């Protein structure tokens, strides 16, 4: 990976930087901290190196009721817990809350292969299950150690109990596999559930069936990076991620045929692709249906994506990591075309690398930013500055004034309070 420094400090401290106006900052951290049982335990962890605050970076979020989940990969030493949460309705509010391991400390203990070693992005589904992809790894790139198998853990969010762990088969992965994103596809019942996991560096898609409790691998040329799109400029850093293939994935609402569309994009690419889950749900079909995978339009320059999320009504939100911004596309009304893509909000300081985007059940948009290239590529995070932020806004506040705005005469609160159905915005 080639890196050059183009004025990192100047960019992060720019006086005239564009600031977010719709997204509201909910939490921020200079460095992450954890909710140890007592201060003595915390000090012991600091002394022994079990906890090294400057080595932690949050990358993924999920929201379920009053829990805001935050994932912290074990890229460096001293990460005591990878799967964590923040109570959204706490008696004592703090802007920089300590992370609480989920469901407990022991499940997150390094070396516990029945638990979670490293997770990136997670998904809470409509059946109140939390799906957690465990990479089983410590380190990143040439420091990676495969401590445990790649696996999926499923928690019952009502009881906080682990209800299943599934380890992927050896043939599901290869010696380059790096899986960060998952999407959960529920059919007619909670048992009729499939999970799709994008293998960024192995250039494949893993499919898991809850009902069959088995998995398979799908490969396609569209999962590979575009050799012309591997150059990045973020936060004053110029670097090359030219091997990064399929990364961002998102599922459409159920269509009339009973299936969804999986939208996906390589990281080193400016193009989106799509395939019906009817193909992916059947192993033989998935491995022998080249033309079922469809290329969509290119987004244009400065449009690398790592995260997509589509809500129940076909509104897609995505991170524009080159632009310090969040984008949108209303798939219910428009084809995938640059003229129908828009910027929801941007912040040239606070949204440097908006790593993950989600929409909760109350139709609030959530975003986490973490300055990842500054941490990972330049190793230059300033521990005296705010490095990690979580933002939120009602989706209709976020969409207002964009080409994605469903209908400017109505307001988000009308939907939330039942005055009008959300579906009315799309009819």
């Amino acid at each position: 990976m080639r890196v050059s420094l183009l004025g990192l400090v100047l960019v992060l401290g720019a006086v005239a930087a564009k600031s977010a106006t719709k997204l509201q900052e909910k939490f921020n951290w200079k460095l992450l901290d954890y909710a140890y049982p007592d201060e003595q335990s915390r000090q012991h962890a600091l002394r022994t190196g079990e906890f090294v605050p400057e080595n932690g970076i949050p990358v993924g979020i999920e929201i379920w009721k009053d829990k805001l989940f935050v994932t912290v990969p074990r890229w460096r030493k001293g990460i005591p817990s990878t799967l964590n949460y923040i109570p959204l309705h706490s008696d004592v509010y703090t802007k920089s809350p300590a992370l609480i391991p989920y469901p407990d400390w022991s499940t997150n203990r390094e070396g516990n292969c029945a638990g979670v070693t490293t997770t990136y992005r997670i998904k809470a589904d409509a059946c109140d299950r939390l799906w957690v992809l465990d990479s089983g790894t410590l380190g990143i790139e040439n420091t990676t150690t495969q401590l445990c198998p790649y696996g999926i853990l499923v928690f019952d969010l009502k009881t906080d109990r682990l209800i299943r762990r599934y380890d992927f088969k050896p043939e599901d992965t290869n010696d380059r596999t790096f899986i960060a994103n998952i999407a959960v596809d529920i059919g007619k019942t909670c048992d009729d559930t499939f999970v799709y996991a994008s293998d960024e560096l192995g250039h494949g898609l893993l499919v898991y069936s809850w009902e069959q409790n088995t998995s398979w691998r799908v490969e396609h040329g569209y999962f590979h990076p575009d050799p012309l799109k591997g150059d990045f400029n973020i936060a004053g850093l110029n670097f090359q991620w030219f091997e990064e293939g399929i990364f961002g994935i998102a599922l459409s609402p159920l269509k009339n045929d009973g299936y969804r569309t999986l939208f996906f994009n390589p990281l080193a690419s400016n193009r989106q692709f799509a395939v019906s889950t009817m193909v992916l749900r059947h192993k033989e079909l998935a491995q022998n249906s080249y033309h079922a995978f469809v290329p969509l339009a290119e987004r244009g320059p400065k449009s690398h994506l790592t995260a997509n999320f589509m809500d129940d009504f076909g509104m897609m939100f995505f991170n524009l990591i080159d632009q310090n911004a969040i984008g949108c596309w209303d798939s219910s009304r428009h084809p995938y075309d640059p003229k129908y893509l828009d910027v929801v909000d941007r912040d040239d300081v606070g949204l440097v690398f908006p790593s993950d985007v989600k929409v909760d059940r109350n139709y609030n948009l959530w975003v986490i930013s973490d300055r990842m290239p500054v941490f990972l590529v330049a190793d230059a995070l300033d521990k005296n500055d705010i490095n990690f932020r979580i933002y939120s806004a009602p989706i209709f506040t976020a969409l207002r004034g964009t080409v994605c705005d469903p209908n400017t005469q109505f307001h988000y609160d009308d939907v939330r309070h039942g005055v009008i159905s959300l579906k009315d915005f799309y009819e």
Side-chain angles (χ1 to χ4, degrees):
M1 179 185 293
R2 291 175 52 209
V3 182
S4 62
L5 197 59
L6 300 178
L8 176 68
V9 176
L10 178 63
V11 171
L12 292 183
V15 175
K18 170 68 176 176
S19 297
T21 57
K22 298 175 184 175
L23 292 169
Q24 300 299 307
E25 186 179 291
K26 299 295 184 181
F27 304 103
N28 65 51
W29 297 265
K30 295 178 179 178
L31 298 174
L32 297 177
D33 203 351
Y34 287 83
Y36 280 91
D38 49 59
E39 185 58 24
Q40 184 178 357
S41 301
R42 182 177 179 276
Q43 290 300 322
H44 175 77
L46 288 167
R47 285 195 304 273
T48 60
E50 176 190 295
F51 176 33
V52 182
E54 57 267 30
N55 284 354
I57 176 173
V59 299
I61 54 173
E62 181 56 293
I63 304 91
W64 182 82
K65 294 189 176 180
D66 65 347
K67 284 187 172 71
L68 172 60
F69 291 94
V70 180
T71 64
V72 184
R74 285 190 164 102
W75 282 339
R76 297 174 182 172
K77 295 180 179 179
I79 309 303
S81 175
T82 184
L83 176 62
N84 314 278
Y85 74 94
I86 299 165
L88 289 176
H89 303 293
S90 175
D91 293 336
V92 181
Y93 174 77
T94 173
K95 196 76 171 180
S96 305
L99 303 182
I100 303 172
Y102 184 86
D104 50 42
W105 286 98
S106 61
T107 301
N108 285 274
R109 188 180 68 248
E110 184 177 318
N112 176 14
C113 290
V116 192
T117 301
T118 283
T119 189
Y120 297 97
R121 293 188 177 88
I122 56 181
K123 183 69 177 76
D125 70 15
C127 301
D128 296 317
R129 298 172 298 194
L130 182 68
W131 298 79
V132 179
L133 179 74
D134 180 19
S135 72
T137 57
L138 305 177
I140 192 169
E141 296 179 331
N142 59 358
T143 69
T144 301
T145 300
Q146 192 73 45
L147 192 64
C148 302
Y150 264 99
I152 293 175
L153 293 89
V154 187
F155 294 90
D156 182 339
L157 285 163
K158 294 180 179 179
T159 64
D160 299 327
R161 295 182 62 182
L162 179 65
I163 53 179
R164 182 179 295 182
R165 177 180 173 113
Y166 175 85
D167 290 341
F168 284 105
K169 305 169 186 175
E171 59 266 32
D172 292 336
T173 60
N174 58 38
D175 60 358
R176 292 181 53 78
T177 289
F178 178 89
I179 303 173
N181 275 315
I182 62 170
V184 178
D185 173 19
I186 301 177
K188 295 180 180 179
T189 67
C190 292
D191 286 334
D192 181 25
T193 299
F194 286 75
V195 174
Y196 312 110
S198 56
D199 185 352
E200 174 200 7
L201 294 179
H203 306 153
L205 184 73
L206 277 61
V207 182
Y208 169 73
S209 166
W210 169 267
E211 194 166 26
Q212 300 170 45
N213 196 32
T214 191
S215 57
W216 53 90
R217 181 180 178 86
V218 183
E219 295 189 345
H220 197 282
Y222 296 162
F223 297 162
H224 290 253
D226 182 337
L228 301 179
K229 306 299 182 185
D231 193 44
F232 291 72
N233 288 279
I234 301 174
L237 285 169
N238 173 239
F239 55 95
Q240 289 73 49
W241 283 345
F242 52 83
E243 298 176 323
E244 277 71 6
I246 179 173
F247 202 111
I249 54 177
L251 286 166
S252 76
L254 280 172
K255 300 178 296 181
N256 291 335
D257 63 3
Y259 296 97
R260 304 175 192 269
T261 298
L262 180 76
F263 296 97
F264 64 90
N265 66 275
L267 175 52
S269 172
N270 289 335
R271 186 182 288 277
Q272 200 78 7
F273 300 87
V275 63
S276 171
T277 57
M278 178 184 67
V279 174
L280 301 177
R281 280 169 163 249
H282 301 89
K283 181 179 179 180
E284 295 303 319
L285 194 59
Q287 296 172 341
N288 296 280
S289 297
Y290 181 90
H291 296 289
F293 294 77
V294 180
L296 305 180
E298 281 199 295
R299 290 179 296 275
K302 296 182 67 176
S303 62
H304 294 105
L305 310 182
T306 67
N308 306 310
F309 186 92
M310 184 170 281
D311 70 17
D312 295 336
F313 299 90
M315 188 70 72
M316 179 184 282
F317 295 94
F318 47 88
N319 60 347
L320 292 161
I321 60 175
D322 310 83
Q323 301 182 40
N324 308 325
I326 302 300
C328 64
W329 168 50
D330 186 352
S331 71
S332 70
R333 296 188 300 158
H334 302 299
Y336 197 89
D337 186 279
K339 67 183 178 182
Y340 296 123
L341 309 180
D342 210 345
V343 170
V344 166
D345 211 347
R346 72 172 79 242
D347 190 320
D348 291 332
V349 174
L351 284 177
V352 171
F353 210 90
S355 178
D356 201 6
V357 294
K358 291 288 173 66
V359 174
D360 66 24
R361 295 184 186 180
N362 291 319
Y363 303 106
N364 296 301
L365 173 65
W366 292 82
V367 178
I368 185 170
S369 66
D370 58 18
R371 296 182 174 176
M372 188 184 297
V374 185
F375 174 87
L376 206 57
V377 178
D379 193 19
L381 282 185
D382 181 355
K383 64 182 180 180
N384 296 312
D385 192 12
I386 295 173
N387 292 300
F388 318 127
R389 293 172 169 88
I390 293 178
Y391 293 90
S392 182
I395 60 172
F396 290 103
T397 297
L399 294 173
R400 193 167 297 129
T402 70
V403 72
C404 311
D405 194 339
N407 194 326
T408 55
Q409 68 178 315
F410 295 120
H411 299 284
Y412 164 77
D413 283 344
D414 291 336
V415 177
R416 196 172 76 172
H417 297 307
V419 175
I420 187 170
S421 166
L422 182 64
K423 207 164 188 178
D424 292 337
F425 283 95
Y426 299 91
E427 295 178 346

